[in-house]
Amino acid sequence: MLEDLHIKDFALIDSANVDFNNGFTVLSGETGAGKSLLIGALTFLLGGKGGVEQIRTGCPMATVSGTFYIKGLSDPVDPSKVNEEEPETAAQWLYVHGIASEDDRILIRRAVRDNGKSGAWIGDTAVTRNDLSAFCSYLVDIHGQHEHQSLMKVSEHRKFLDSYAGITEQVSAFKELYSQLVESRRQLNEMVSDDKTRLQKIEVLSFAVKEIEEAKLKEKEDEELDEEERKLTSFEKLYSDIETISQGLEGSEGNGAVNVLKKIRSVSQHSVTLDKNLEKLDARLESAFYELSDLAAEYSQYGHSLVFDPERLAWVQERQTLIYNLKKKYASSVNAPLEEVIKFAGDAQKRLEELTGGKKNQEELTKLIDSLEKQVYQEAKNISIKRQAASEKMSVSVMEILQTLGMKDTRFSVSVVEKNGTEVEQKCGPYGMDNIEFLIAANPGNPLQSLAKIASGGELSRVMLALKTVLAETDVVDTLVFDEIDTGIGGEVAVSVGAHLKKLALKRQVLCITHLASIAVYADNQLKISKSVKEGTTNTGVTPVEGDARVEEIARMLSGDSANSESLEHARSMLTRFSN
């Protein structure tokens, strides 16, 4: 759940620190007060679009941060259960990306500067906007702005159905089985490709392996050669430097640093006989003398060892040219690590073994593929049967809820249709043999059509509310935000929407922007968004309302007058009836 949100210089918000509780929280305020700004700041934090237009006028930067609590987030993750391409939980996503949480909490931060540059952090780790959005999809689902709606993506419909059917892990296991089949087919296709193509591949790969093996490369050899070549080509400068150092230390006429220090040491020894307090200084001087003498000897020895070897230089440069050409052929670039060439040789050798494995390997692979095809088809069929059964129940459950949410004549259906094709590879995909899509007919007599294409924002929000109600037991997302849930509704429908949000909040944290008192009275917590002008500057603020302040806010929502005695009495009555 979202515990707190800190906003600084975002749009009209100067500074806001908002604490959130579990359960159902309503955000209310007069028209134009900026209710959507709070959701806009949250959307920005979760990876939504960010630009300089979101920075408060006259400010250098806008920042938003939030703390999320997820039970079990800091528990150890079992690596064997992690699908690195599609982690199933927020904890698994953090594990894959090497990010630690603390006390089941994670801090998320995002900022945009007036020069257009932006940054995002999960914990102490800087992340891309795409990574931020991917992680936050496990935390919050925002409904009302099309940019953030899961229902607008047909690919997400399968996930909803699989979650409802309780087969998410089964589908994940199927994907691994399907991947094994695809890889086995690839290997067989290469083995049985026409002889000319296969022989050409064998010839190319054999040449590459032979060329790389004959080079007898060593790891990091390119770096070592570069260092040696630099030393050999700079021989004269290096020799001159060593001569200068040696002359400075030893000198040719007794004027080197060692001889000077030797004379000073003699004087120092005499000074100790005059004052014992100088013993420590004399000892340090003696140590410095011996250290400098050793340095002089080692520099001299190094200087005498320096020999210009043109043959060695030629060999090194020839070796560098060989490695350059190998990188040009077999690495991603000539500046790539030498390990890429070595790895290419290893991979090429494996491919050669596959291509030259002979008829026996082909027969074994063919048997394996036959077995995998049967397994894949059978498992896809089992998954499809479960989806078909779940789709009917899910359609009925969602439609029953929609009847009470002002969509009385609406028909809703979870379409599960087998993919086209007659062969296993055509009929099945990585998630089974089904094309899954939510269909809706909002008016009597209209045919069922794609929900993602024809539903309005308000309808999408209410469909999502119905879905989240039926999925409350299995959904991994803890926080739901509804921005347009009350569009085009009122009266009994609004009361029903409020009741459903209250029910949903028993399992999830629910945030909802609304102008309807009949929804707001169901909330466990209420935040009032208000706008003020100070010294010619407009600012939007967020304040929790409780007790009499909440009664006045509900009264304002009822009649536009927070001081009207009848409205106040009506507000108290509604809060007493629905808020507990």
Side-chain angles (χ1 to χ4, degrees), residues 24-70:
F24 180 21
T25 299
V26 154
L27 287 70
S28 63
E30 295 183 0
T31 301
K35 295 187 291 297
S36 292
L37 286 182
L38 193 65
I39 303 302
L42 179 59
T43 301
F44 170 73
L45 176 65
L46 300 176
K49 292 181 180 179
V52 294
E53 69 278 1
Q54 293 170 315
I55 304 174
R56 184 173 167 82
T57 303
C59 298
M61 177 173 63
T63 60
V64 182
S65 65
T67 305
F68 290 85
Y69 169 81
I70 302 176

Side-chain angles (χ1 to χ4, degrees), residues 507-567:
K507 301 289 185 181
R508 299 284 181 268
Q509 181 188 40
V510 176
L511 309 181
C512 176
I513 289 180
T514 185
H515 67 279
L516 296 179
S518 49
I519 290 179
V521 291
Y522 279 97
D524 303 303
N525 321 285
Q526 187 164 351
L527 300 174
K528 182 180 179 181
I529 316 298
S530 58
K531 185 188 292 184
S532 62
V533 180
K534 185 177 181 181
E535 298 178 355
T537 302
T538 303
N539 181 52
T540 292
V542 185
T543 309
V545 287
E546 300 173 337
D548 291 342
R550 188 177 182 195
V551 173
E552 292 175 3
E553 175 63 6
I554 296 297
R556 182 200 63 77
M557 297 174 75
L558 284 168
S559 65
D561 185 356
S562 61
N564 182 283
S565 59
E566 291 182 2
S567 296

Side-chain angles (χ1 to χ4, degrees), residues 453-494:
K453 294 179 180 178
I454 68 168
S456 67
E459 288 171 336
L460 283 171
S461 290
R462 278 176 276 169
V463 170
M464 181 57 76
L465 175 56
L467 283 170
K468 289 299 180 180
T469 301
V470 300
L471 293 172
E473 293 293 338
T474 58
D475 198 356
V476 298
V477 178
D478 278 340
T479 300
L480 308 177
V481 181
F482 294 93
D483 191 4
E484 297 177 351
I485 197 68
D486 56 9
T487 301
I489 65 172
E492 293 182 4
V493 173

Side-chain angles (χ1 to χ4, degrees), residues 25 41 45 59 76 116-117 132 259 282 360 392 416 445 463 528:
T25 299
L45 176 65
C59 298
K117 293 184 178 180
L132 177 67
N259 288 322
D282 179 61
K360 181 179 179 182
E392 296 178 11
V416 181
V463 170
K528 182 180 179 181

